[in-house]
Amino acid sequence: MYSAAMSTQERLIEATRELLWERGYVGTSPKAIQQHAGAGQGSMYHHFKGKPDLALAAIRRTAEELWAGAEEVLSGPGSPYERIEAYLRRERDVLRGCPVGRLTMDPDVIASDELRAPVDETLDRLRECLAGIVEEGKEQGLFASSLDGEEIAATILATVQGGYVLARASGSPAAFDSGVRGLLALLAPAPSGR
């Protein structure tokens, strides 16, 4: 499953990331992590103090990866609208859900300030970045001056996270795609000459 060149510590983190996404915190036992990673109990406790420490490393990695992918698209070429559109339409495993968003539904993650922090920080960074892009679009006359960048950023994130939920519930990515199309239609700059 993992590259032979990958260290035991890396295999443990990657296994935990996968299991957290699939099963949540409670459903991710140390034994399951060790089996998934092909690592012994001694190896796990050599690298990490215990399950919470390993889960924190996995959640941080997942959050960093999500942010890096989003930032790449949002800081790419194009108008503010085109960058938001690229973010909304980027390739996702919609039926599997968002690995960070799903952590917000895990009561054990949310109950722990330490485990929740990377999730909250990543969503805050996304909101700030999107709000800045909306403000940039307002300055360029692409978006109505009455729009509030922070509110629109929250709406974009709500559309993405809600789209995952609707797609998973229906078993089809169509609901996600429909939400994205609807939001883009609302944000679409008016054609010039109107």
Side-chain angles (χ1 to χ4, degrees):
M1 178 184 288
Y2 300 112
S3 155
M6 190 181 279
S7 72
T8 301
Q9 184 176 9
E10 285 298 308
R11 289 195 322 268
L12 287 164
I13 292 171
E14 290 303 312
T16 304
R17 289 178 65 199
E18 283 293 316
L19 291 169
L20 285 172
W21 196 357
E22 292 170 13
R23 303 177 184 182
Y25 186 82
V26 170
T28 301
S29 69
K31 185 175 182 173
I33 294 168
Q34 293 159 24
Q35 289 175 338
H36 206 70
Q41 183 177 0
S43 295
M44 181 174 159
Y45 292 101
H46 170 74
H47 295 290
F48 301 96
K49 294 177 204 158
K51 178 181 165 182
D53 188 41
L54 177 52
L56 180 59
I59 291 168
R60 281 183 178 149
R61 174 84 51 85
T62 297
E64 289 165 6
E65 191 175 278
L66 180 100
W67 168 247
E71 184 182 37
E72 183 179 343
V73 172
L74 292 170
S75 65
S79 70
Y81 177 85
E82 291 166 339
R83 294 184 347 249
I84 291 171
E85 179 180 31
Y87 170 72
L88 288 168
R89 294 188 187 272
R90 77 188 188 122
E91 191 171 325
R92 294 175 165 88
D93 189 349
V94 175
L95 295 180
R96 195 161 179 214
C98 175
V100 170
R102 287 189 62 184
L103 291 168
T104 66
M105 293 181 245
D106 190 312
D108 293 287
V109 171
I110 295 306
S112 165
D113 290 341
E114 191 174 29
L115 294 177
R116 187 182 67 246
V119 173
D120 190 35
E121 289 164 10
T122 299
L123 294 174
D124 279 347
R125 287 173 84 182
L126 267 170
R127 268 193 305 269
E128 287 173 19
C129 181
L130 287 163
I133 292 170
V134 171
E135 293 301 324
E136 182 184 333
K138 286 170 51 177
E139 289 169 14
Q140 294 175 11
L142 293 173
F143 299 138
S145 61
S146 61
L147 291 183
D148 180 291
E150 290 182 20
E151 289 177 359
I152 298 303
T155 302
I156 293 167
L157 288 179
T159 299
V160 170
Q161 294 303 319
Y164 281 123
V165 171
L166 295 175
R168 286 175 57 84
S170 68
S172 167
F176 183 95
D177 297 339
S178 179
V180 165
R181 283 192 309 273
L183 179 57
L184 288 171
L186 291 172
L187 286 177
S192 14
R194 267 189 163 181

